[in-house]
Amino acid sequence: DASGNYVSQSIIMHGKTIHKKQVISLLKKDMVKYSTQKYASNVMECLFKYCSNSQRKEIVKEILKPAKSNSSILDKMLKDKYGNYVIQKILEKLDKSDREAMISKILEITKSTKQANSSAKHVLKIIKDRYM
């Protein structure tokens, strides 16, 4: 909700390590849900800004998992009007090798669908401008 996201962000930014781990564990369980909601997506962006490199790697591993259904977590986030901002924050905070892996997967997804929606196009432009 509109106020709860500030509480969650405060825990991520200023909380003890144990509390941060609990929040990360909760958010990891449903990445798409939290990345594609207006207020929760702010929490997800904050998470990537303040979590450790090992926590980022763990979360990205989850995002890059092959799809169990029609589309992967990354695909759903990429095509969402809020999720695409989470993807941008992830790319910004990843180390070079993990960023390259994620960019490769994004390019694969957008190539296979042949036509990216406006949210995905925005991410593709950021990739082109900043990372290529």
Side-chain angles (χ1 to χ4, degrees), residues 35-36 74-88 91 106 109-110 113 115-127:
S35 294
T36 58
L74 178 61
D75 187 30
K76 291 174 185 172
M77 290 171 65
L78 185 64
K79 293 176 181 174
D80 183 79
K81 64 182 175 180
Y82 302 114
N84 87 83
Y85 288 104
V86 177
I87 296 293
Q88 290 174 52
L91 289 171
I106 289 168
I109 288 169
T110 55
T113 58
Q115 186 174 0
N117 71 0
S118 61
S119 296
K121 285 179 183 177
H122 190 70
V123 173
L124 291 171
K125 181 174 179 357
I126 298 285
I127 289 170

Side-chain angles (χ1 to χ4, degrees), residues 85-102:
Y85 288 104
V86 177
I87 296 293
Q88 290 174 52
K89 181 59 71 177
I90 293 169
L91 289 171
E92 180 184 310
K93 293 297 180 180
L94 289 177
D95 63 32
K96 187 177 179 180
S97 65
D98 289 334
R99 183 183 308 112
E100 287 173 353
M102 186 165 230

